[in-house]
Amino acid sequence: MNDVSLNKKVPLWPLWVLFFTSTDTLLFGTNANEIFLYVPRIIGLCIFLFLPFFLHKTLMINRKTIIAFILVVIATFSAFVNKMEFPTIVSRIISILVAYSIAMYYEHKYYVAAFCKFIYFIATVAIITEAFAYIYPAIFNLFPTVTNTADYSFSAFFIGSMRYDFLSNQLIRAEGIFWEPGAFSIYIDIALMYELFFKETINTKRIIVYLVALVLTFSTTGYIGFFSMVLVYILTKKTINNKQFINKFVLCFVMLILIVGVIGFENSSVYEMVFGKIENTESTAVTRYSSIVNGLEIALNNPLLGVGSNKIRESIIQYSSNSSFGRNPMLTNTCVMQFATFGMIFGIIYLVNTVKYFTKQNWNWLCRIGLLVTLMLLYCGETFYSFLPFIFVFYGSDNIKREGADENCINQFTS
């Protein structure tokens, strides 16, 4: 595969199109109008077929290609054996192929640059949306109303959204373009990880916007992931200049404010929304535990091809009802879901290459392990069916250690 010439700009707009039409979004992932659900499938297929021609790249048989082939074959056989619905398996396979195409034809630093710019834009819009929600909520009646598959109504305007039932709450949660605030918070945490660990120069303005948007999601998983990441940053990043020291100080200060502000007022709405769920034996804590245990039991009992997406819900209910440990019938773990849905071989390939994504970074061992643990904590919060988790798999299959890139240099060669 030929490298992109440095005297040419690398077009990033195909990545932004993929981000905006991802199955993680409200409009194209959980829209009750099924016509919208075909958009990411069509765009994803076009990206897979035409991206190499557009970027003047050639297809090579390498490790990424072999892994993509194996995953697609296993997913296809699983779909046939478990009688999965055709649209569902098409979406899963296209998600794998899109992630493969991105990792195959874009250097990692360009993907990171595109992702961070995307989240910065979405987070900025989300903050502005929050302000209007408190000051002038009637403005959302001017935009189209969308109903999702859970029968919630949203005011949707492509670059943002607002759930109508949130407007009646004392605390209004930010969710950007995503299907719910928890998903948004995980995207923000990944952007924070890229800004803090994958770049030579930290963009303080972006960090502030990310943090404000993260706070406004009131997401337990998002906060836990952030605290884990900051701990890794404090323990592993050396202070080499005043700017980096200031960044550390700001992060520590924000974390302190969050801890004091949330935990210090135990009877507050914020406390109940974020930490009350952990104490509720019927909610977050038990759900996370159940997702891991039930999902792994399903995978171990169906090791070759899993149970397929169409039988996951039924299987989870069965396994939780047979347990005496108070589990609930939920599967909210992205990593475990791969094992339960498609079997042990698929799951092991997925997990091993995700681990390699971090172990091949040019960091010390504590940083690598710490960020891997952070990602696994984030995966406990939501089940992602998009190409996002497979991005880590295919970039993790590289044989090279990655260096951080100065975004000023990246910007000279991107459009």
Side-chain angles (χ1 to χ4, degrees):
M1 183 174 61
N2 298 325
D3 292 331
V4 178
S5 175
L6 289 181
N7 61 3
K8 295 181 180 179
K9 287 191 173 183
V10 179
L12 298 184
W13 65 262
L15 295 177
W16 293 325
V17 171
L18 288 171
F19 294 146
F20 276 107
T21 60
S22 165
T23 54
D24 289 334
T25 62
L26 163 68
L27 285 176
F28 306 109
T30 59
N31 197 324
N33 187 336
E34 293 187 0
I35 294 177
F36 283 82
L37 304 184
Y38 285 92
V39 172
R41 298 170 190 167
I42 295 171
I43 291 178
L45 186 59
C46 289
I47 289 293
F48 171 68
L49 293 175
F50 301 115
L51 188 62
F53 300 101
F54 183 75
L55 295 178
H56 307 290
K57 298 293 186 77
T58 56
L59 177 65
M60 291 185 62
I61 305 301
N62 56 17
R63 185 172 299 186
K64 291 189 185 76
T65 307
I66 294 171
I67 290 175
F69 177 78
I70 294 173
L71 294 181
V72 169
V73 169
I74 293 174
T76 303
F77 272 104
S78 175
F80 177 77
V81 171
N82 294 306
K83 299 179 180 179
M84 290 174 59
E85 295 179 358
F86 182 73
T88 302
I89 187 56
V90 167
S91 294
R92 301 293 180 270
I93 290 176
I94 288 178
S95 293
I96 295 171
L97 294 178
V98 167
Y100 161 75
S101 298
I102 293 173
M104 186 75 172
Y105 304 120
Y106 280 102
E107 290 183 46
H108 183 255
K109 62 183 178 181
Y110 295 120
Y111 170 76
V112 169
F115 186 90
C116 289
K117 288 181 180 180
F118 165 71
I119 296 299
Y120 175 69
F121 175 75
I122 293 299
T124 301
V125 173
I127 294 170
I128 296 172
T129 302
E130 285 285 292
F132 275 107
Y134 285 105
I135 299 171
Y136 186 53
I139 194 174
F140 298 109
N141 295 325
L142 302 176
F143 301 103
T145 297
V146 174
T147 303
N148 68 2
T149 51
D151 205 29
Y152 289 109
S153 295
F154 293 77
S155 173
F157 43 97
F158 188 70
I159 59 174
S161 65
M162 175 57 62
R163 217 166 88 176
Y164 286 119
D165 64 315
F166 283 173
L167 294 175
S168 60
N169 296 336
Q170 181 180 359
L171 294 171
I172 301 173
R173 304 182 69 185
E175 57 196 346
I177 63 174
F178 301 95
W179 82 77
E180 73 112 21
F184 185 25
S185 73
I186 292 173
Y187 267 81
I188 294 172
D189 276 336
I190 292 174
L192 278 167
M193 178 180 69
Y194 285 150
E195 290 285 352
L196 293 174
F197 295 92
F198 286 77
K199 295 182 178 179
E200 295 177 359
T201 304
I202 294 176
N203 191 320
T204 306
K205 180 175 68 175
R206 285 189 185 176
I207 294 291
I208 293 172
V209 171
Y210 295 154
L211 290 177
V212 173
L214 179 63
V215 170
L216 293 174
T217 64
F218 300 109
S219 167
T220 308
T221 300
Y223 288 2
I224 291 174
F226 169 69
F227 293 152
S228 173
M229 196 185 316
V230 171
L231 180 61
V232 174
Y233 185 82
I234 293 172
L235 293 176
T236 62
K237 283 286 186 176
K238 295 180 180 179
T239 302
I240 58 176
N241 55 48
N242 290 334
K243 185 175 181 180
Q244 198 170 58
F245 173 78
I246 292 172
N247 286 323
K248 276 190 178 184
F249 178 81
V250 169
L251 285 172
C252 294
F253 179 75
V254 171
M255 186 170 67
L256 179 62
I257 292 298
L258 284 173
I259 294 174
V260 173
V262 175
I263 299 180
F265 299 95
E266 187 167 340
N267 296 322
S268 68
S269 299
V270 178
Y271 182 91
E272 289 301 319
M273 185 178 296
V274 178
F275 291 96
K277 294 184 293 184
I278 297 178
E279 299 174 354
N280 184 348
T281 57
E282 298 298 324
S283 189
T284 299
V286 174
T287 295
R288 300 323 184 231
Y289 160 77
S290 299
S291 295
I292 296 173
V293 177
N294 290 340
L296 289 179
E297 283 189 3
I298 292 172
L300 290 171
N301 290 332
N302 303 272
L304 191 58
L305 296 172
V307 296
S309 298
N310 56 316
K311 296 180 181 178
I312 276 290
R313 178 64 177 168
E314 175 186 338
S315 299
I316 287 292
I317 293 175
Q318 177 186 347
Y319 277 77
S320 62
S321 62
N322 293 338
S323 171
S324 60
F325 295 101
R327 305 182 206 168
N328 62 28
M330 299 290 289
L331 179 54
T332 62
N333 191 301
T334 297
C335 186
V336 173
M337 186 266 294
Q338 314 299 333
F339 287 85
T341 303
F342 298 117
M344 296 297 292
I345 298 175
F346 188 101
I348 289 172
I349 293 174
Y350 170 90
L351 180 59
V352 166
N353 285 282
T354 301
V355 171
K356 288 168 65 177
Y357 178 85
F358 293 95
T359 58
K360 289 183 178 180
Q361 304 300 331
N362 192 31
W363 307 321
N364 63 51
W365 66 269
L366 180 60
C367 186
R368 298 172 192 171
I369 294 175
L371 290 185
L372 174 62
V373 170
T374 299
L375 182 66
M376 291 300 142
L377 287 173
L378 294 176
Y379 278 171
C380 288
E382 300 290 345
T383 304
F384 288 99
Y385 295 99
S386 68
F387 59 83
L388 177 69
F390 289 99
I391 289 292
F392 296 100
V393 174
F394 287 110
Y395 277 124
S397 66
D398 286 340
N399 283 322
I400 58 173
K401 285 193 174 183
R402 304 191 180 281
E403 299 280 351
D406 190 331
E407 185 160 343
N408 291 328
C409 176
I410 293 174
N411 288 337
Q412 294 177 19
F413 305 112
T414 59
S415 62

